[in-house]
Amino acid sequence: MTLRKAGGLAALTCAATYLVGFVMIVTVFAPLGFGSGDVDTAAVVAFIAERPDVMIAWNAVIYIVNALALAVLVVALRQQIAVARADAAVLTGTLGMIWATLVLGAGMIANVAVEQTHALTDYPGAAASLWQTLHAVELGLGGGNEIAGGAWILAVSLSALKGGTFGRVTAGIGVLSGAAGLLTILPPLGDIIGAVFGLGAIAWFVAVSVALLRVRRETLGKRVAA
């Protein structure tokens, strides 16, 4: 398997992890306040006491699986961008690895929070305080903002468009999603702009996958726009 193909499959994996995250938020975790900006800490502790495996599995998918797939995609895209722009490849590769590291760290913190909270379920007050503290750390690493991801997607989209790796549609989706990610630095925009980033990222990951997995017809002397 070539790195280009591995990157395409990794992009699909990233899109799938985002979809799982959205589905779980609007179904299983909606009663707990996830996605609303007003999480019910007591309800979270009660949920963890009964079903810790569900939350651990969710964290593993949206953070850990996503981060590992993202690392592969970052390397694959850096290789493609380097063909035309070596300087841009270094920049995008660095931004991408920073994001992948933050996502992985957020996932490990999130699962430690579940494990430690479950161990304290006989003491609801202490369990709630511990989960809330670790959840704040998780959000600070990347669960509550998308600045690193927005910067990477924006940089990759612009660089790949100029180098011919992406077509205008793929790059356009990336620019919109990346800009939304950067705007999550503004607290008042919070959940709404975060949702825009997430949905845009799903579309972008799918488009990137198509761009990387398609068969290039060099004999035609051009690439089909993604």
Side-chain angles (χ1 to χ4, degrees), residues 15-115:
T17 61
Y18 272 55
L19 283 172
V20 169
F22 273 115
V23 170
M24 292 293 284
I25 283 177
V26 301
T27 56
V28 177
F29 297 118
L32 307 181
F34 281 87
S36 68
D38 187 22
V39 178
D40 186 340
T41 305
V44 172
V45 171
F47 184 93
I48 290 174
E50 295 181 2
R51 306 170 67 187
D53 53 328
V54 174
M55 190 162 285
I56 286 176
W58 182 56
N59 288 332
V61 170
I62 66 172
Y63 287 128
I64 297 174
V65 174
N66 176 270
L68 296 177
L70 184 60
V72 175
L73 178 59
V74 168
V75 174
L77 287 175
R78 173 175 175 167
Q79 182 188 66
Q80 295 301 310
I81 293 170
V83 173
R85 292 288 304 277
D87 53 347
V90 173
L91 173 63
T92 58
T94 301
L95 290 174
M97 284 305 174
I98 289 173
W99 188 28
T101 301
L102 290 173
V103 173
L104 185 61
M108 292 189 288
I109 291 292
N111 275 343
V112 167
V114 174
E115 294 167 359

Side-chain angles (χ1 to χ4, degrees), residues 1-15 68-80 152 166 204-214:
M1 179 186 296
T2 64
L3 182 56
R4 182 185 177 101
K5 184 175 182 180
L9 295 176
L12 280 180
T13 301
C14 288
L68 296 177
L70 184 60
V72 175
L73 178 59
V74 168
V75 174
L77 287 175
R78 173 175 175 167
Q79 182 188 66
Q80 295 301 310
W152 178 69
F166 292 171
W204 187 77
F205 282 130
V206 172
V208 169
S209 177
V210 172
L212 293 177
L213 292 177
R214 70 191 176 196

Side-chain angles (χ1 to χ4, degrees), residues 195-220:
V196 172
F197 169 81
L199 293 173
I202 292 173
W204 187 77
F205 282 130
V206 172
V208 169
S209 177
V210 172
L212 293 177
L213 292 177
R214 70 191 176 196
V215 177
R216 295 187 294 175
R217 296 178 175 83
E218 300 295 345
T219 56
L220 294 181

